[in-house]
Amino acid sequence: MKTFYSAAHLKHRPAQEFERGRLAPAVEVPERAECVRRRIEERKIGPLLEPSRFDDDIVLAVHDAGLVSFLGSAHARWRKHYGEDAPDAIPSAWPARGMSARLSGEIESQLGSYSFDTATPITRGTWDAARDAANVALSAAEAVAEGEGSAFALTRPPGHHASFDVFGGYCYLNNVAIAAEWLTKKGRSVAILDVDYHHGNGTQSIFYDRKDVLFISVHADPSFAFPHFLGFADENGQSTGEGFNLNLPLPRGTDWARYAEALGRALHRVRDFGPDVLLVSLGLDTFEDDPIAQFKLTRPDYLRMGEAIAGLKLPTIFNFEGGYDLNGLAEITVNVLEGFEGR
Ligand SMILES: [Zn+2]
């Protein structure tokens, strides 16, 4: 399986994130993608390839031009405002419901209006990393469109929490949505299966009124887990997209037996839909040792996950999303790929 990877992700090094009432060391760090890259090389999964450069048009087909322009200039403007030594940019005020918000265009105003949480700092290198992650996802899509049976997009930062005009949840541009949009423009029908511990609220919202892109997410119930406001079982899509969104929320402590049942339902729905290409938002924070999540999947379970997805016999692109246990992350990620390949 070809893996697409860009060293540009190394430029995105958030120092801290604000959550649970404290400023804590960031968990979405460069070592996440680096440890996976090393294991891919050790296990000889396939060639490691640089992404091609894709035009902004395809990014702008998914995201608001204002958000894209903001992300590209935000850190320079933040430094201009707070000084060259300023820490990473984290918002501290939002245009909340019930306020008649006026957007001044000033850096703090824009930072608040384009974000939804305090866990997603904008650093000096964030834009370069996020933009090349989109290229990584697009290059994997292009490889599969040209006939590869599968590909792995080692995208970092992740993308599935980013919506049309809002970033958050460690995500800036929605890599999997951009790849899906590119494939639909090539005439392919697409299903997106999101197996990250957290609901893919950004991806859902982008395709919520579309029937040419099926979105399915298996995740921790938002009644107790991030992103808290979306991902409930009764969100089915709207207008022409009604029936093309499927959420399968699961309780705290979910183990493989329970997870496999939900995954089976998800795969059944993909089979019914019959897409040309399957995109997997491959989050690995369902792992039992993940520091920010509460599921109980074990290392061999990820082999089973890969095997189950392979059972669909579809051209498949795996897009790297979350997963924060640096001791297990490389092994469980590659287990999914090896399970898929029947190794
Ligand atoms: Zn996650």
Side-chain angles (χ1 to χ4, degrees), residues 69-302:
S69 156
F70 169 73
L71 290 172
S73 63
H75 200 263
R77 292 174 55 209
W78 177 261
R79 291 198 309 273
K80 193 170 174 201
H81 200 74
Y82 290 115
E84 282 301 314
D85 299 334
D88 300 342
I90 295 179
S92 53
W94 293 265
R97 182 180 62 257
M99 296 164 73
S100 60
R102 295 176 59 175
L103 306 181
S104 71
E106 179 262 349
I107 181 65
E108 286 278 10
S109 167
Q110 286 206 317
L111 192 53
S113 63
Y114 284 123
S115 67
F116 74 89
D117 72 0
T118 54
T120 316
I122 294 182
T123 76
R124 191 180 281 264
T126 296
W127 174 246
D128 286 351
R131 185 61 183 80
D132 226 25
N135 286 332
V136 166
L138 285 161
S139 297
E142 185 176 59
V144 167
E146 287 173 355
E148 291 290 324
S150 60
F152 178 42
L154 185 40
T155 40
R156 183 184 169 272
H160 73 146
H161 293 304
S163 65
F164 171 67
D165 59 357
V166 185
F167 73 93
Y170 311 149
C171 302
Y172 305 86
L173 297 176
N174 194 316
N175 307 310
V176 80
I178 291 167
E181 183 67 22
W182 185 89
L183 285 161
T184 64
K185 287 188 185 313
K186 298 284 173 194
R188 309 300 208 281
S189 65
V190 174
I192 302 173
L193 171 63
D194 190 322
V195 297
D196 191 278
Y197 174 83
H198 304 96
H199 176 249
N201 57 316
T203 314
Q204 169 174 309
S205 66
I206 287 166
F207 296 114
Y208 205 54
D209 59 1
R210 298 261 297 262
K211 64 175 181 181
D212 58 335
V213 178
L214 173 70
F215 178 71
I216 304 176
S217 184
V218 181
H219 55 272
D221 194 319
S223 62
F224 71 87
F226 185 90
H228 305 296
F229 305 111
L230 216 58
F232 297 91
D234 61 356
E235 295 159 10
N236 302 319
Q238 67 184 12
S239 67
T240 54
E242 194 166 349
F244 296 92
N245 192 90
L246 175 62
N247 284 333
L248 299 167
L250 293 167
R252 273 192 189 88
T254 289
D255 63 4
W256 177 248
R258 182 123 197 202
Y259 192 92
E261 197 183 327
L263 182 63
R265 282 185 62 193
L267 297 176
H268 189 80
R269 180 70 186 93
V270 173
R271 204 174 276 118
D272 275 357
F273 181 71
D276 298 319
V277 180
L278 175 67
L279 287 161
V280 180
S281 260
L282 183 59
L284 292 306
D285 36 11
T286 48
F287 184 46
E288 57 182 347
D289 293 339
D290 196 276
I292 68 165
Q294 299 176 67
F295 280 2
K296 299 288 174 204
L297 270 57
T298 64
R299 291 167 196 246
D301 295 339
Y302 292 91

